[in-house]
Amino acid sequence: MSDGPLSVEALRGVGPALAAKLARLDITRVSDLLFHLPLRYQDRTRITPIAALQLGLEAVVEGEVRAADIVLGRRRSLVVRLQDHTGTVTLRFFYFNAAQKQALAAGTRVRCFGEARRGASGLELYHPEYRVVAAGAEPVASEARLTPIYPATEGISQMALRKLCAQAVAWLADHAPPELVPAALLPAPAVALADALRYLHQPPPDAPLAVLREGRHPCQLRLAFEELLAHNLSLHRLRSQIQASGAPPIPEDSAARQALAAQLPFALTAAQRRVGAEIAADLARPRPMLRLVQGDVGSGKTVVAALAALQVLRAGYQVAVMAPTEILAEQHLASFSLWLEPLGVRVGWLTGRQKGSARNALLAALASGELQLVVGTHALFQEAVEFAALGLAIIDEQHRFGVHQRLALREKGKGLTPHQLIMTATPIPRTLAMSAYADLDTSVIDELPPGRQPVATAAVDNQRRPQVVERIRAACLEGRQAYWVCTLIEESESLQAQAAEATCEALAESLPGLTVGLVHGRLSARDKAAVMARFKAGEIQLLVATTVIEVGVDVPNASLMVIENPERLGLAQLHQLRGRVGRGSAASHCLLLYQTPLSRLARQRLQVLRDSNDGFFIAEQDLLLRGPGEVLGTRQTGLMSLRVADLERHADLLPAVQDAAGALMTGDPRRVDALIRRWLPQGERYAGV
């Protein structure tokens, strides 16, 4: 049951060099071309009168060249005046040669396609595609169908892709790919696979462009459903592969739980106890736990992880705790050391910055088993890191790593697959979780510890900055502490650091008598830790920071946060930042200091944050307003490679996709293999195999 092994080199015009370029697009077979679907379409089926051209829209126009001149301005250009019976338009070419100028001589009839833009002489077409039309020829439509625009790669033009896909569609007439999804599982109206492929490669002139743009045409829905199904099956297959490898069963240990609970200065919430029990039961089974724990900011995920760690440690295995940033890793180090070292657990820490003898000693202690629990960043993935008996990998803020990196820790188990506990304080909307984390069981800590204060949030125009500074002064003079968060559009840590340094200097000047501290991504781990320790001890009253403080910073006395340029951040990230305050008993506030003018979308997003402290509601709104790529982060490369499906537009298909996945896995595993091969040409890319 396969789509056929015929190589693309069987097509006209495809030799080894072009085949190598096509392979960069995961196209090695003719059938792969069929599933290499257009991103969008151009309507070249009708000629538009020049007078009817609209700014920003693409169109085909035909007329007679009235003049063609080289114009010397800021940039040398070839300017061609084209006229039909309704008016005149300018064609402008910045890259041209003498032969081109000669071919566009006055009196020549030309048909061209391009986007109408505003230019020096009214509407202009910049570098339009064009061809000379024989004099006296009837002005018939330039194309019989809508023109597809395909995902491309360097060295392959759109024209070449169209010709190749046209050959593949012709091949389709005698080699229809098999229907791998039974009709009963498809959403209505069910379109035959071959018909859907043919339509999307070669839409007729009357095809509804608006519906195609929205991805809601029945042919697109047919293929989107199958693609989502293939990705879902891939994750389920990954889960089965991992769980088939076996893991050390870790018996539940009520004495260990009680010993840790006695150490804590607070009582566990009912939600923490429930999720802790789910994890303990998973660990006791002889197959790897694969569990995602979601919990809003401040819900107490770390202590649940510590309970799981202690269960594993008491059984004689090691634990690795991985975090995306050094600041978060340091917070975990402090928490796990505080709670577990009094119980006889040796805790260590590993980051990429560690060098020399200290690093070598730590690696040796891990390899021998002397070091029982290690906290670290992505440095834990490194080849030199070996464990004597890794029983549990705890991964915080999973979306910052991506699937491949999470799976890399499997290799550290030396024959046994470690249990995996994934934590996130960035709530994943249910629709995304159904696709992004189909390989994981999910637990939700849906209760905040008693005493956590809701944070009052207000949006403030940057023109009121002096009043905001005065508000900080008042809060600090009352004995409270505050954050001032700087953001930049640029991703450069260097530029962010410069902005934070300038802001810190300005605020220190405006607030004499207050101690202002600074933390950003370019500080060394030691310097960051020193600043955070002083802030936590109350020696620093105002902390100026970049978004490095987004996760893992816990200072109960901080009750005021100012976030500059909040319109530049996602809602989930803003909610994470806001969660740094409201951790004590005092009323807490977050001020969103925005720049005017704000776009309509930016206003909507800030309003969501003002209206709600519920991370799950905010995550759902983030999905609606920004789309799944932004919510999950681009490191989720498997999901971001969807060809037809769009998790935002096609979320309504996901329940049926899950049902279909269950039916196929139990009823027809051969179809599962074929679907994964069809839509993920490199195999189960999540598994890294």
Side-chain angles (χ1 to χ4, degrees), residues 86-405:
T86 68
T88 305
V89 68
T90 296
L91 316 181
R92 190 178 295 271
F93 300 88
F94 292 108
Y95 306 100
F96 61 93
N97 53 41
Q100 192 173 357
K101 181 180 185 302
Q102 193 173 347
L104 292 169
T108 307
R109 191 159 192 82
V110 173
R111 179 176 301 159
C112 59
F113 174 83
E115 178 186 332
R117 302 188 194 178
R118 188 171 281 114
S121 58
L123 287 185
E124 298 186 357
L125 304 182
Y126 287 72
H127 283 279
E129 296 178 37
Y130 71 91
R131 64 185 174 89
V132 174
V133 180
E138 286 294 317
V140 294
S142 69
E143 301 287 349
R145 302 181 180 90
L146 297 182
T147 302
I149 305 296
Y150 291 98
T153 188
E154 188 178 352
I156 307 180
S157 67
Q158 283 295 323
M159 185 66 71
L161 279 169
R162 284 177 206 138
K163 287 179 178 177
L164 291 173
C165 287
Q167 287 188 64
V169 171
W171 177 82
L172 179 63
D174 298 317
H175 305 85
E179 295 280 0
L180 299 177
V181 184
L185 298 179
L186 289 170
V191 181
L193 179 62
D195 292 341
L197 290 168
R198 191 177 292 108
Y199 187 97
L200 292 177
H201 280 287
Q202 299 177 342
D206 59 350
L209 260 177
V211 177
L212 286 168
R213 246 191 315 268
E214 290 300 312
R216 300 301 299 181
H217 191 280
C219 291
Q220 289 169 310
L221 295 177
R222 164 70 180 82
L223 293 173
F225 181 87
E226 188 171 305
E227 184 176 25
L228 288 170
L229 177 58
H231 279 258
N232 195 283
L233 289 168
S234 173
L235 284 168
H236 282 296
R237 173 65 55 80
L238 168 60
R239 177 187 176 87
S240 299
Q241 287 174 350
I242 293 174
Q243 294 200 321
S245 58
I250 312 292
E252 295 193 41
D253 190 334
S254 57
R257 294 173 68 84
Q258 288 167 8
L260 178 55
Q263 288 278 116
L264 300 174
F266 51 82
L268 295 176
T269 65
Q272 287 171 323
R273 289 196 299 273
R274 170 176 48 77
V275 172
E278 290 169 354
I279 294 168
D282 275 356
L283 290 172
R285 298 187 180 103
R287 63 172 189 264
M289 171 177 71
L290 298 167
R291 185 165 290 278
L292 171 69
V293 174
Q294 296 192 68
D296 209 342
V297 176
S299 60
K301 297 176 293 300
T302 309
V303 73
V304 169
L307 288 166
L310 190 57
Q311 181 176 336
V312 172
L313 294 166
R314 285 288 174 93
Y317 294 94
Q318 292 167 296
V319 174
V321 181
M322 190 167 67
T325 66
E326 288 191 7
I327 282 187
L328 182 52
E330 287 164 3
Q331 293 286 328
H332 283 320
L333 178 69
S335 298
F336 281 98
S337 300
L338 178 67
W339 297 333
L340 298 181
E341 284 186 343
L343 302 177
V345 175
R346 183 180 169 192
V347 179
W349 119 287
L350 179 68
T351 73
R353 293 179 191 252
Q354 287 171 317
K355 308 291 179 194
S357 57
R359 177 182 175 81
N360 292 335
L362 185 139
L363 293 177
L366 265 184
S368 69
E370 182 188 347
L371 183 59
Q372 298 158 283
L373 185 147
V374 62
V375 179
T377 57
H378 58 277
L380 292 173
F381 297 131
Q382 293 171 355
E383 206 172 304
V385 180
E386 291 185 6
F387 292 81
L390 180 62
L392 172 65
I394 299 170
I395 299 149
D396 202 4
E397 293 304 320
Q398 145 72 27
H399 68 290
R400 299 290 193 86
F401 290 108
V403 182
H404 292 104
Q405 290 173 300

Side-chain angles (χ1 to χ4, degrees), residues 24-147:
R24 295 204 297 261
L25 295 168
D26 284 339
I27 297 170
T28 57
R29 304 167 298 173
V30 174
S31 58
D32 294 333
L33 273 170
L34 289 173
F35 290 90
H36 188 72
L37 291 152
L39 295 166
R40 59 188 180 89
Y41 302 92
Q42 294 172 337
D43 186 357
R44 304 187 185 191
T45 63
R46 55 185 67 85
I47 293 171
T48 300
I50 288 175
L53 284 173
Q54 294 183 50
L55 183 67
L57 296 185
E58 296 173 324
V60 177
V61 296
E62 183 175 319
E64 185 177 307
V65 175
R66 306 305 296 170
D69 301 298
I70 295 175
V71 175
L72 300 176
R74 245 181 349 169
R75 291 177 68 186
R76 182 171 172 268
S77 61
L78 173 62
V79 174
V80 178
R81 297 293 289 167
L82 190 71
Q83 186 178 64
D84 70 2
H85 65 286
T86 68
T88 305
V89 68
T90 296
L91 316 181
R92 190 178 295 271
F93 300 88
F94 292 108
Y95 306 100
F96 61 93
N97 53 41
Q100 192 173 357
K101 181 180 185 302
Q102 193 173 347
L104 292 169
T108 307
R109 191 159 192 82
V110 173
R111 179 176 301 159
C112 59
F113 174 83
E115 178 186 332
R117 302 188 194 178
R118 188 171 281 114
S121 58
L123 287 185
E124 298 186 357
L125 304 182
Y126 287 72
H127 283 279
E129 296 178 37
Y130 71 91
R131 64 185 174 89
V132 174
V133 180
E138 286 294 317
V140 294
S142 69
E143 301 287 349
R145 302 181 180 90
L146 297 182
T147 302

